[in-house]
Amino acid sequence: MKNYVIIGAGLTGLSLAKKLVDSGESSVLVLEKSRGLGGRMATRRTLETRFDHGAQFYRLKTDSKIMHQFWLQNNDSHQWFISPAGDHWCAKEGMTSLAKKIAKGLDFSLEKQIQSIVKTDECWLLTSDKGEKWEAKNVILTAPLPQALLLLDKSEINYSAELKKIHYTKALIGLITLKSSIEISQYGYREFNQGDFFSLADQSSKGVSNLPALTLTMSPAFSEKYFDETDESIVLSSMLKSFKVLYPECEVVGSELKKWRYCQSLNSYEKSFLEVQKNFFLAGDAFGGSSLLGALRSSQALADFLIT
């Protein structure tokens, strides 16, 4: 039996596990449904280049200094740019590398899709879609809240109706390789208040890509419109058409589509975490705030509660 089983190996789950282990707790297991670590700290690698297609950076603020110092000491992050919005840092080998650094030394298992969680007399019993089972004194669920609530519903675990009021935006992401470099802004990053784009991020200016490459994050409206389109060529064609309006002379030599069904929470719960039943907790960006900083804030608040 584990003292703590954490479901989800995004920033919330990994940083929570690390703080528990660093405090002296040795019985911590992280379970992740996908093949990789990091959640929305995601990096796509090809033979020729890399793209961050989730979080592009973290802003250096007081709440993030612990993780910043950890990554900096391990030579994993560097300053990308300073703007009126703050001091922006990114990872030399892509944002996923930061998640992998946190996970070093932790007990985690990938491709573990939890199907049910049942309370027994002595513990919580978790069962995967392949019939694997784990016993835990404490369970922490850090998946995007709509996914977490689906699992609670399947497991017949009651929770506050207020959680149903928290919603997420969808995001379609275009990963494009260019024939030659272009300047999208003085920072290599540009956000939009209207139109088809949410942001453009120059992966070569970040030091992530050796080739001219951009990550196009589409607006919530565009993403909602095309998210369920099964023909990816239609979506990419529409993306590139909008891109050509902004940069008509730019030649695109490669493109790929990525999707986030739960990109950013539009609103947050009033607390940094929630104990839905005794020794069963919810945490993540729906509680700490919609950003890497929010995910970290939630995990650290819950870790402090559990440690004390």
Side-chain angles (χ1 to χ4, degrees):
M1 182 189 300
K2 293 290 185 180
N3 285 340
Y4 297 95
V5 170
I6 299 169
I7 302 172
L11 180 58
T12 301
L14 292 175
S15 59
L16 172 60
K18 177 173 174 53
K19 188 160 186 177
L20 289 173
V21 170
D22 287 350
S23 74
E25 177 57 63
S26 60
S27 184
V28 181
L29 173 64
V30 181
L31 300 176
E32 168 58 43
K33 71 174 184 178
S34 70
R35 294 180 297 171
L37 299 168
R40 283 161 285 179
M41 295 174 67
T43 305
R44 169 77 169 108
R45 290 172 171 81
T46 69
L47 291 175
E48 298 179 319
T49 190
R50 286 189 293 248
F51 298 86
D52 284 330
H53 61 92
Q56 295 296 319
F57 51 75
Y58 65 93
R59 289 191 179 100
L60 183 55
K61 296 182 180 180
T62 301
D63 290 348
S64 62
K65 281 187 176 179
I66 295 175
M67 283 300 162
H68 173 68
Q69 289 300 321
F70 173 77
W71 287 325
L72 199 59
Q73 288 168 8
N74 287 278
N75 199 34
D76 292 304
S77 64
H78 67 114
Q79 187 183 69
W80 183 11
F81 65 90
I82 300 175
S83 75
D87 192 353
H88 298 69
W89 287 70
C90 62
K92 297 177 181 178
E93 297 182 1
M95 294 296 282
T96 301
S97 68
L98 300 183
K100 291 179 178 178
K101 183 61 66 172
I102 301 173
K104 188 175 181 179
L106 298 179
D107 184 6
F108 63 86
S109 187
L110 303 177
E111 297 185 90
K112 305 300 182 186
Q113 176 74 59
I114 301 303
Q115 290 289 85
S116 69
I117 305 172
V118 177
K119 184 71 172 73
T120 70
D121 291 338
E122 297 181 350
C123 65
W124 292 97
L125 178 64
L126 294 78
T127 305
S128 76
D129 57 348
K130 298 177 182 177
E132 301 159 294
K133 296 183 184 296
W134 297 268
E135 293 181 337
K137 292 181 180 178
N138 297 272
V139 174
I140 300 103
L141 185 49
T142 69
L145 191 58
Q147 291 180 329
L149 296 186
L150 285 175
L151 180 54
L152 294 184
D153 288 339
K154 287 181 181 179
S155 304
E156 299 183 350
I157 296 173
N158 295 325
Y159 53 86
S160 169
E162 291 298 309
L163 297 178
K164 288 283 191 181
K165 298 179 182 179
I166 297 174
H167 302 286
Y168 283 68
T169 62
K170 297 182 176 75
L172 292 174
I173 313 293
L175 311 180
I176 65 171
T177 307
L178 309 177
K179 185 175 182 179
S180 59
S181 299
I182 62 170
E183 183 176 332
I184 59 174
S185 77
Q186 61 178 314
Y187 309 119
Y189 179 78
R190 181 180 177 186
E191 288 189 356
F192 299 80
N193 294 321
Q194 58 185 3
D196 288 340
F197 294 101
F198 173 78
S199 69
L200 305 178
D202 186 339
Q203 302 302 301
S204 54
S205 78
K206 293 174 69 174
V208 172
S209 172
N210 293 323
L211 298 178
L214 298 179
T215 296
L216 318 179
T217 301
M218 308 310 290
S219 69
F222 182 100
S223 299
E224 186 70 40
K225 179 179 179 180
Y226 287 101
F227 197 86
D228 295 321
E229 173 57 60
T230 56
D231 188 342
E232 291 190 359
S233 66
I234 293 176
V235 183
L236 284 169
S237 177
S238 184
M239 280 184 179
L240 295 178
K241 182 179 179 181
S242 296
F243 180 71
K244 282 288 189 177
V245 172
L246 295 175
Y247 303 99
E249 303 302 321
C250 184
E251 184 174 348
V252 176
V253 296
S255 61
E256 184 178 351
L257 179 67
K258 293 290 184 180
K259 296 182 176 184
W260 294 106
R261 183 170 294 277
Y262 305 109
C263 179
Q264 286 189 315
S265 58
L266 292 170
N267 49 332
S268 300
Y269 191 68
E270 60 185 357
K271 298 179 181 179
S272 296
F273 62 88
L274 179 64
E275 187 171 14
V276 292
Q277 288 193 23
K278 184 174 176 57
N279 300 329
F280 193 113
F281 302 88
L282 298 178
D285 60 357
F287 298 88
S290 182
S291 63
L292 289 183
L293 183 59
L296 183 61
R297 186 182 296 121
S298 176
S299 74
Q300 301 307 282
L302 178 52
D304 289 340
F305 174 81
L306 295 172
I307 291 168
T308 56

